[in-house]
């Protein structure tokens, strides 16, 4: 999506006056600012558009319920950071990769990064539980895989704009590991259910280049979601939970 196409979508879906007000004035947590802030920070227009649609979908549902005398029952999936199917999907992807390439050896300086999308520090300071949820996922996955101490590390990616974001930043960690001569780095992105620019380009291209240019050895991006059996099982588990008693 081009920037001009973003604005065309705003005008078409929300109407020019209302849509441009949303884009200029509405704070969107997923972007850490407004749509205009994100576009000015060179975030991909498609990512900004998706975040706007997600935000408006939740807001409009809430407005409808508040205005209705005959309110429907509404269920949303809050999070599933430690759900059995989700942890199993991540573990299976890593085990399948390691069957081919072998497990990374922390004694040899090899490392595994679990890279999640970052959020602004202000959101974390205000009480957002996101970081603790990411930490819970890492803890459960390490237990499931029986990983030795020192192998797995939690990092945060896709930082943009001048505001402070939670860290450590994936790109900084990757660069430092490269400079210290890390012979092998495996990276998985548990927070991205399907591959996108932030995994295929940011991780598998930019971070790979950063690591190897700094002096690192082999770089392995490990996909886990998309149409894998584990990803589908995770969605089925969430659907069954939220639909319980309805069907």
């Amino acid at each position: 999506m081009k920037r001009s196409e973003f604005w065309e979508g705003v005008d078409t879906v929300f109407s020019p006056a209302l849509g441009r007000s949303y884009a200029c004035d509405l704070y969107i947590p997923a972007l850490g600012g407004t749509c205009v802030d994100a576009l000015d920070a060179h975030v991909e227009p498609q990512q900004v558009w998706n975040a706007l649609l997600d935000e408006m979908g939740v807001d409009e549902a809430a407005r409808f319920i508040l205005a209705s005398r005959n309110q429907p029952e509404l269920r949303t999936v809050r999070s599933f950071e430690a759900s059995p199917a989700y942890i199993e999907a991540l573990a299976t992807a890593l085990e399948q990769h390691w069957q081919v390439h072998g497990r990374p050896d922390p004694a040899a300086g090899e490392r595994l990064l679990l890279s999640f999308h970052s959020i602004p520090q202000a959101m974390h300071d205000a009480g957002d539980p996101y970081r603790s949820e990411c930490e819970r996922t890492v803890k459960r996955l390490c237990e499931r895989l029986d990983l030795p101490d020192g192998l797995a590390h939690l990092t945060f990616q896709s930082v943009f704009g001048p505001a402070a974001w939670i860290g450590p930043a994936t790109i900084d960690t990757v660069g430092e590991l490269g400079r210290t001569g890390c012979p092998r780095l495996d990276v998985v992105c548990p927070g991205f259910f399907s591959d996108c620019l932030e995994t295929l380009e940011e991780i598998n291209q930019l971070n790979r280049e950063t690591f190897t240019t700094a002096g690192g050895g082999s770089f392995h991006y490990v996909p886990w979601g998309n149409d894998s059996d584990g990803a589908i099982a995770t969605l089925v588990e969430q659907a069954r939970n939220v639909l319980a008693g309805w069907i």
Side-chain angles (χ1 to χ4, degrees), residues 87-97 99 141 144-145 230:
I87 298 302
E88 190 62 29
L90 291 166
T92 297
L94 286 166
E95 287 175 332
Q96 289 176 345
H97 180 79
Q99 285 176 1
L141 182 59
R144 162 62 179 79
L145 292 169

Side-chain angles (χ1 to χ4, degrees), residues 17-246:
L18 184 61
R20 299 210 170 222
S21 174
Y22 288 154
C24 294
D25 302 326
L26 177 67
Y27 178 86
I28 299 178
L31 297 175
T34 68
C35 291
V36 171
D37 292 335
L39 291 170
D40 288 344
H42 306 294
V43 178
E44 288 291 332
Q46 184 68 61
Q47 181 180 341
V48 179
W49 176 248
N50 291 343
L52 176 60
L53 291 182
D54 288 345
E55 186 71 17
M56 296 312 300
V58 173
D59 286 353
E60 288 303 319
R63 289 193 192 97
F64 175 80
I65 289 176
L66 288 173
S68 175
R69 291 293 180 182
N70 184 19
Q71 295 182 348
E73 182 178 354
L74 178 67
R75 297 179 183 178
T76 60
V77 177
R78 181 189 179 279
S79 60
F80 50 89
E81 74 279 3
S83 79
Y86 172 54
I87 298 302
E88 190 62 29
L90 291 166
T92 297
L94 286 166
E95 287 175 332
Q96 289 176 345
H97 180 79
W98 292 341
Q99 285 176 1
V100 177
H101 301 280
R103 282 198 173 210
D105 180 7
E110 298 174 346
R111 295 291 182 267
L112 167 66
L113 291 191
L114 296 105
S115 179
F116 292 79
H117 200 298
S118 188
I119 61 171
Q121 183 68 41
M123 292 175 61
H124 174 74
D125 294 341
D128 194 300
Y130 176 72
R131 185 186 188 104
S132 63
E133 291 176 345
C134 296
E135 292 171 346
R136 193 171 300 119
T137 297
V138 172
K139 181 176 184 295
R140 293 293 177 85
L141 182 59
C142 289
E143 291 172 347
R144 162 62 179 79
L145 292 169
D146 193 25
L147 299 183
D149 293 341
L151 176 60
H153 297 269
L154 168 64
T155 60
F156 295 92
Q157 66 180 83
S158 306
V159 173
F160 62 88
W165 291 59
I166 62 172
T170 300
I171 191 74
D172 295 340
T173 304
V174 163
E176 179 60 27
L177 287 171
R179 285 189 290 274
T180 58
C182 174
R184 170 182 168 179
L185 180 61
D186 289 6
V187 183
V188 65
C189 299
F192 293 88
F193 212 88
S194 59
D195 279 317
C196 58
L197 286 172
E198 290 156 308
T199 59
L200 299 177
E201 183 176 315
E202 182 181 354
I203 295 299
N204 204 26
Q205 294 182 29
L206 176 60
N207 278 265
R208 175 190 295 275
E209 180 180 353
T210 299
F211 178 69
T212 56
T213 300
S218 61
F219 183 100
H220 300 255
Y221 168 63
V222 184
W224 74 273
N226 303 311
D227 61 349
S228 69
D229 291 343
I232 294 170
T234 301
L235 294 177
V236 169
E237 181 183 68
Q238 298 311 306
R240 285 176 173 165
N241 289 342
V242 81
L243 291 172
W246 279 5

